[in-house]
Amino acid sequence: MVGTHQGLFAGIFGRGGADTGDEAWLQAMLDTEAALARALERAGLAPPGAGAAVTAVAQADGFDAAEIGRQAGLTGNPVPALVRALTAMVPDDTASAVHRGATSQDIIDTAAMLLARRALSAVAADLSAAASGAADLTAAHRETVMAGRTLLQQAVPVTFGLVAAGWLTGLDEAREAVARVRAGGLAVQFGGAAGTLASLGDAGVRVAGLLAYELGLALPVLPWHTDRRRVLDIAAVCAGAAGVLGKVARDITLLAQSEVAEVREGGGPGPGGPGGARGGSSAMPHKRNPVGAVALLGCTRQVPGLLATLAAAAEQEHQRAAGAWHAEWQPLGDLLRLTGSAASWGAELLAGLEVDPARMRQNLDAARGLPMAEHVALLLAPALGPVAAHDLVAQASARVAGSGLHLRDALLDTPETRRLLDEAGVTPERVESALDPAGYLGSAGEFVAAALTAHAAAEFRLSH
């Protein structure tokens, strides 16, 4: 779906439900402060009603995010300004419940976990939709023969169902990784000034447990101020999902090239143009660009740099980092947003992808039998030996490339080659059969079936 994020590039990079903008960050910090007040009240460290009072005013639209951001320059992070503003909004007799026992990093790290949980939910939903689209393509085209391509050159035949099955398996594994981190990898952060919760006396561990309960986050063994593995786990599953989605989009851009034209994106009839069907060019009225795939790649190409920044920031000093922690905030939000946008594009792209089986067969036939050279060599190997069979077919293939002949003709109409075939007992009918792409698909059908079975199992696991 198209996201609600504002900005000139939001339609490309801000799609889906992975909202990580300023208001989302602010609300996650306020949710953490409100949950802390409730936890303190339950622990007997705040007056009755304090939790409800703080919760009632902890709404982002009641705060001036821009002013809090300006004041953050004075303290190195936005939490002190937020705490002052929140304290001013609650009754005096409950003000002591605001931020008690916490340090700024507790609030921002816990907010990051809440932000990630919400964003990963949106990512998982769109990955699920993308997987459903890939499953439909897999099932519909399990017998659609096309050219396999290695190093961007035609190789042996495959089926489009097998190609889509590869997309499907990657998407299923990516969404299970996202679900795993969302379900068990997000932990509350609550350690106070240096990870001891000294200001809460002997109630610190209890308050931490209550805070985790209030927010529905895991309770870690101890505060993780300078142990950034949880942030890296989030980043890693986002990068993995982005890699899978980028693979799908890259394949589609290549298959949609004018000279290939084996698939094209949905989005309305005709070449389109400004204000018309999607994919139009501002300068070339005839074009139907693969906009969804291109936009998806625009998202995923930014992900490796963000992952690298977060990995570099994971080395942090003593009990509180000097700068490395600060370096995480924007890259983490951007990573979640871009992964969410890529997943949204992927869901739409795979739901509407148009496949042209006739064009696939036409492109395969245009190679004049060369993709079947391996199969012919295997046919000849028992009689001629593998090396001689390989060399014979290689020579015939060279004649095809240089003359425009079909491999069949290069094998059967060349006297010397025909003599070797006759001596090996290989009839023209067997050569003709070996040149049929549909007869050289190996285990493609079994792999497609396995992918669909695994997808059904993943659907069951993730829905129960």
Side-chain angles (χ1 to χ4, degrees):
M1 70 173 186
V2 177
T4 58
H5 314 301
Q6 301 301 310
L8 187 62
F9 303 111
I12 300 172
F13 303 129
R15 290 170 57 96
D19 185 1
T20 60
D22 288 347
E23 186 170 345
W25 267 107
L26 182 57
Q27 188 59 61
M29 288 189 281
L30 287 166
D31 289 343
T32 302
E33 292 285 4
L36 176 56
R38 297 193 301 272
L40 290 165
E41 180 182 347
R42 293 182 64 185
L45 299 178
V54 175
T55 301
V57 299
Q59 302 301 317
D61 58 7
F63 293 78
D64 186 343
E67 178 58 26
I68 291 172
R70 283 190 291 271
Q71 293 186 42
L74 302 175
T75 55
N77 75 79
V79 174
L82 176 64
V83 169
R84 285 194 296 273
L86 180 60
T87 301
M89 296 175 69
V90 301
D92 291 344
D93 60 347
T94 61
S96 62
V98 176
H99 199 65
R100 181 174 176 184
T103 190
S104 294
Q105 186 168 356
D106 292 335
I107 303 305
I108 291 181
D109 278 355
T110 302
M113 297 294 104
L114 297 177
L115 199 75
R117 183 170 65 187
R118 294 162 188 167
L120 292 178
S121 291
V123 170
D126 280 329
L127 286 174
S128 178
S132 293
D136 290 342
L137 291 167
T138 301
H141 293 282
R142 64 175 71 209
E143 296 181 0
T144 299
V145 180
M146 65 179 293
R149 294 174 171 94
T150 62
L151 305 181
L152 297 179
Q153 307 295 307
Q154 283 202 18
V156 297
V158 297
T159 64
F160 185 69
L162 182 61
V163 171
W167 300 344
L168 173 62
T169 301
L171 289 164
D172 278 338
E173 292 176 353
R175 68 186 177 126
E176 291 207 85
V178 167
R180 184 170 59 251
V181 168
R182 186 188 180 280
L186 308 178
V188 72
Q189 174 76 281
F190 192 58
T196 65
L197 290 173
S199 67
L200 294 180
D202 58 6
V205 172
R206 182 168 180 236
V207 173
L210 290 169
L211 177 60
Y213 174 81
E214 288 286 341
L215 293 171
L217 294 172
L219 177 65
V221 175
L222 68 161
W224 44 278
H225 289 144
T226 52
D227 174 5
R228 310 311 290 172
R229 181 182 52 79
R230 290 176 179 83
V231 174
L232 289 180
D233 285 346
I234 296 167
V237 296
C238 285
V244 169
L245 290 160
K247 156 64 176 172
V248 173
R250 177 56 65 210
D251 281 353
I252 289 172
T253 61
L254 293 171
L255 294 173
Q257 292 180 98
S258 299
E259 295 81 3
V260 180
E262 293 178 358
V263 306
R264 73 173 187 174
E265 294 185 16
R278 192 173 82 182
S281 164
S282 63
M284 292 171 281
H286 68 285
K287 292 193 73 180
R288 174 80 174 270
N289 295 316
V291 170
V294 169
L296 194 163
L297 290 166
C299 295
T300 58
R301 282 293 181 93
Q302 299 177 65
V303 166
L306 298 169
L307 175 63
T309 297
L310 292 168
E315 180 189 304
Q316 301 194 0
E317 310 89 345
H318 299 306
Q319 283 70 55
R320 191 66 46 79
W325 170 57
H326 301 70
E328 293 176 347
W329 308 335
Q330 287 189 322
L332 179 61
D334 289 346
L335 182 59
L336 290 165
R337 173 177 52 82
L338 288 165
T339 304
S341 188
S344 176
W345 279 114
E348 180 179 301
L349 186 59
L350 288 168
L353 191 67
E354 299 171 6
V355 180
D356 190 340
R359 179 67 175 183
M360 290 176 172
R361 185 56 189 248
Q362 181 182 349
N363 287 338
L364 185 56
D365 290 344
R368 304 189 306 280
L370 290 178
M372 303 306 299
E374 181 186 67
H375 195 197
V376 175
L378 289 174
L379 171 68
L380 301 177
L384 302 181
V387 175
H390 175 277
D391 291 347
L392 185 150
V393 176
Q395 292 166 8
S397 298
R399 289 194 292 275
V400 170
S403 66
L405 293 171
H406 193 281
L407 182 58
R408 174 196 312 104
D409 302 324
L411 289 167
L412 298 178
D413 294 349
T414 303
E416 179 61 21
T417 302
R418 181 61 181 270
R419 181 183 64 78
L420 291 172
L421 293 175
D422 290 341
E423 290 176 357
V426 177
T427 65
E429 290 76 18
R430 292 182 67 191
V431 172
E432 189 72 38
S433 177
L435 290 169
D436 178 11
Y440 196 56
L441 295 173
S443 299
E446 294 176 66
F447 288 141
V448 166
L452 290 170
T453 298
H455 173 66
E459 287 285 292
F460 180 81
R461 286 193 300 273
L462 292 170
S463 63
H464 287 77

